[in-house]
Amino acid sequence: MTIKNLKTITVSYLLIPNLIFILTWLNPIWATVGFVVSVYSFYSFIISTNAVSEDFSALRVKRIELSTILYLALFTLVLGVVFSLGNFGLGQSYDYYKHNTIVKELIEKPFPVVYENETRYGILNEPAILGYYMAYYLPTAIICKFIGFGASNILLYIWGAIGIFISFCWLYFLSPKNLNIILVFILFLLGATLFKPYLYAHYLLKNIVSLPMIQYFIWPSGISFNLINIHYSPQHHIVTTIGVFFVYYESFIRKDNRFVLFFVSLLLMWSFLGAFSVGVIAGFMVLYRKFNSFFSVANLAGGTIISFIMASYFLAHFQDNRFSGFIWTFADISGYLYQKPFISILALVGYCVFEVGIYIFFMFKLFSSKNTYNDKLVLLGFCAAYFVISPLYRIGFNNDLAMRLISTIKILIFVLLMFSYSEMLKSQISTKILRLYMAFTIILGIFSSMTTLKWEKVPSIAQSPTINKADIPQEIFLQYFAKKNSFFGNYMMKQTSEK
């Protein structure tokens, strides 16, 4: 497998569920527009990818050999069984109550999925549609509409495993040649940039002192590293890893922005918040590269139209019985910030120092030592600023945005860390302290796994309750729905009613 092959496979994988959604949920006009620009942009991407040269100096190998592909595939399949992507093995995480129920709704109901009479919790007092990022579910659902529920669990397992395998291939390509690949994968899966002070606060000090502010800032990292992301939310792992790896290689290393907007738009149906955070990184890189090759027709047409379709869909989302859009209540910073500003500042500084400060210190020393590292130094500064700002979204309200922002920037910090470690080894700079800290983070990652990973006996897709009959907690229930009486529902969606 060459890097060209991997880029083509990556974009194809991300595109497929977008096309399913466009062709089955939108009215004929929007379906035609969305399909045409998607295919045109994808075709342009393939032609461009085959024509351009790659930067092999930034890659571990020019080609991943078949034996390595088989090892990566086997490792992915084993992880898939351990974390029961298809509901076999040790059991599934709590999130699969939601995953499996959504797949069942998509299989049983015609597209688009409409709810005319759902009034539970007093929330939906008007017609609604299924409003959720569905890329992880749609391929399984569309196939099972024709063949039934029998293969649904194995299909979901295969589809999730393909995405995880693609992320591992990107990790292999971008790992420096002089690093042990097993060490790279262990650090990647167990955190690497993950210090876990919140565990001590929560598990060791919970009966001694109340630390709500620490939990407010630290919790977003609690389920953000890759091993846990695979267990709970494979779609978020796919978006954060593939998204950052692709954007880093194309925009930062190759300085090629011809398809970055189109690429980021394909992430929206996978994870809107994950796509948002990858988009912030991509936006910085485009600005830093002074919009080099950004204004291509395929990039602007595909990226703009798909983003508009998906933004319209997510803007219709219900939350707390009010129309508040895809940002929901993420801008609420009223809570502890103003009530306890001193504690807030200490928590924020401590969080950032313990989380990635040690690694950023080592990277800064290296990148500031030579002019040839200037690009990396600028990118490191962006990462540090991003990491400091991200927790502010967490203040005063319990939400997922900080978690998605932080898990995404950690992937980029990880890429820079591996590069730094490699360069330190080449230059014979002492890495003793850095290696000790890496070992420390691995131990903490194992401890985190023991306290966070939870296997449950979740009903299979066929046995899952339907949304309008399930005994689902309100906070989960509210995630499912979007307004039918919205711009998307009235002007873009194919008209249908609940059956």
Side-chain angles (χ1 to χ4, degrees), residues 2 122 159 198 238 247 254 281 286 342 390 407 475 493:
T2 66
W159 184 244
Y198 94 96
I238 291 166
V247 168
R254 292 190 60 250
I281 295 171
V286 170
F342 181 69
S390 295
S407 64
E475 67 273 13
M493 189 181 77

Side-chain angles (χ1 to χ4, degrees), residues 154-340:
I154 188 65
L155 287 173
L156 195 63
Y157 165 75
I158 292 171
W159 184 244
I162 292 172
I164 296 167
F165 170 75
I166 292 172
S167 74
F168 288 164
C169 289
W170 275 105
L171 176 62
Y172 190 89
F173 265 121
L174 293 176
S175 298
K177 298 176 183 178
N178 62 332
L179 297 189
N180 185 298
I181 196 63
I182 296 177
L183 171 64
V184 171
F185 268 77
I186 290 174
L187 285 168
F188 178 71
L189 291 171
L190 288 176
T193 60
L194 192 69
F195 189 86
K196 284 292 186 180
Y198 94 96
L199 285 170
Y200 298 102
H202 185 63
Y203 292 103
L204 302 182
L205 301 178
K206 63 182 180 180
N207 295 323
I208 301 174
V209 62
S210 175
L211 298 171
M213 261 321 294
I214 290 181
Q215 285 184 289
Y216 255 79
F217 281 106
I218 303 306
W219 182 86
S221 68
I223 58 173
S224 64
F225 68 89
N226 291 292
L227 199 64
I228 290 179
N229 249 348
I230 291 172
H231 182 47
Y232 283 91
S233 303
Q235 70 269 40
H236 295 307
H237 165 85
I238 291 166
V239 167
T240 54
T241 54
I242 292 178
V244 171
F245 288 152
F246 183 95
V247 168
Y248 171 78
Y249 177 70
E250 287 291 281
S251 294
F252 190 77
I253 299 299
R254 292 190 60 250
K255 305 176 185 179
D256 187 347
N257 297 304
R258 275 175 288 186
F259 297 96
V260 66
L261 179 60
F262 172 61
F263 176 81
V264 172
S265 74
L266 297 179
L267 303 178
L268 294 168
M269 183 49 69
W270 285 86
S271 168
F272 201 99
L273 300 180
F276 174 81
S277 56
V278 173
V280 172
I281 295 171
F284 169 78
M285 292 183 181
V286 170
L287 285 171
Y288 183 63
R289 295 306 183 195
K290 299 178 180 178
F291 292 91
N292 181 50
S293 66
F294 178 77
F295 295 103
S296 68
V297 175
N299 189 40
L300 296 180
T304 302
I305 295 298
I306 295 174
S307 296
F308 180 77
I309 291 171
M310 300 308 169
S312 298
Y313 174 65
F314 287 106
L315 272 168
H317 200 277
F318 275 102
Q319 185 74 0
D320 296 337
N321 200 27
R322 63 179 181 267
F323 178 85
S324 48
F326 62 87
I327 296 298
W328 298 336
T329 49
F330 295 153
D332 183 358
I333 60 170
S334 59
Y336 283 100
L337 178 62
Y338 299 111
Q339 295 176 21
K340 300 180 180 180

Side-chain angles (χ1 to χ4, degrees), residues 441-457:
T441 60
I442 290 174
I443 293 171
L444 289 173
I446 294 171
F447 178 65
S448 302
S449 300
M450 293 169 59
T451 58
T452 310
L453 297 173
K454 301 182 187 303
W455 287 266
E456 300 185 19
K457 291 186 178 180

Side-chain angles (χ1 to χ4, degrees), residues 398-463:
N398 185 4
N399 67 77
D400 280 355
L401 182 55
M403 178 175 66
R404 303 300 171 219
L405 288 168
I406 291 168
S407 64
T408 304
I409 202 63
K410 281 180 181 176
I411 302 298
L412 185 55
I413 291 174
F414 178 83
V415 173
L416 293 177
L417 174 64
M418 292 298 98
F419 174 84
S420 301
Y421 186 40
S422 171
E423 292 296 297
M424 291 170 70
L425 292 175
K426 290 178 185 177
S427 304
Q428 297 184 330
I429 299 173
S430 175
T431 59
K432 183 178 179 180
I433 296 177
L434 183 59
R435 285 185 284 115
L436 285 173
Y437 191 70
M438 286 179 177
F440 184 49
T441 60
I442 290 174
I443 293 171
L444 289 173
I446 294 171
F447 178 65
S448 302
S449 300
M450 293 169 59
T451 58
T452 310
L453 297 173
K454 301 182 187 303
W455 287 266
E456 300 185 19
K457 291 186 178 180
V458 179
S460 67
I461 293 170
Q463 277 72 49

Side-chain angles (χ1 to χ4, degrees), residues 1-159:
M1 178 192 292
T2 66
I3 191 66
K4 291 181 185 292
N5 299 145
L6 181 58
K7 289 196 294 186
T8 300
I9 292 169
T10 298
V11 176
S12 301
Y13 179 78
L14 297 173
L15 177 63
I16 288 171
N18 281 275
L19 289 179
I20 294 173
F21 179 82
I22 287 169
L23 293 174
T24 59
W25 281 64
L26 302 185
N27 63 41
I29 294 175
W30 277 104
T32 301
V33 171
F35 179 77
V36 169
V37 297
S38 298
V39 172
Y40 167 71
S41 297
F42 178 67
Y43 175 76
S44 300
F45 171 78
I46 298 299
I47 297 299
S48 174
T49 298
N50 291 331
V52 300
S53 59
E54 303 295 341
D55 188 346
F56 295 113
S57 64
L59 303 177
R60 185 182 185 89
V61 292
K62 291 184 178 181
R63 175 189 297 270
I64 301 180
E65 299 299 330
L66 178 60
S67 59
T68 303
I69 291 175
L70 294 176
Y71 281 125
L72 291 175
L74 178 61
F75 181 54
T76 303
L77 294 174
V78 170
L79 276 184
V81 171
V82 170
F83 295 126
S84 292
L85 298 181
N87 204 12
F88 44 82
L90 299 177
Q92 293 186 313
S93 71
Y94 175 80
D95 271 18
Y96 274 87
Y97 286 103
K98 175 175 61 182
H99 298 324
N100 294 342
T101 296
I102 291 176
V103 175
K104 183 173 183 179
E105 294 290 290
L106 290 169
I107 294 173
E108 286 190 330
K109 291 180 170 60
F111 291 166
V113 178
V114 175
Y115 303 91
E116 300 284 3
N117 302 302
E118 178 53 71
T119 59
R120 193 158 25 130
Y121 298 119
I123 301 299
L124 304 183
N125 52 15
E126 60 179 280
I129 57 175
L130 182 62
Y132 206 75
Y133 32 83
M134 298 182 291
Y136 180 49
Y137 318 117
L138 280 172
T140 295
I142 199 73
I143 293 173
C144 289
K145 280 183 177 293
F146 298 98
I147 66 174
F149 281 102
S152 57
N153 288 295
I154 188 65
L155 287 173
L156 195 63
Y157 165 75
I158 292 171
W159 184 244

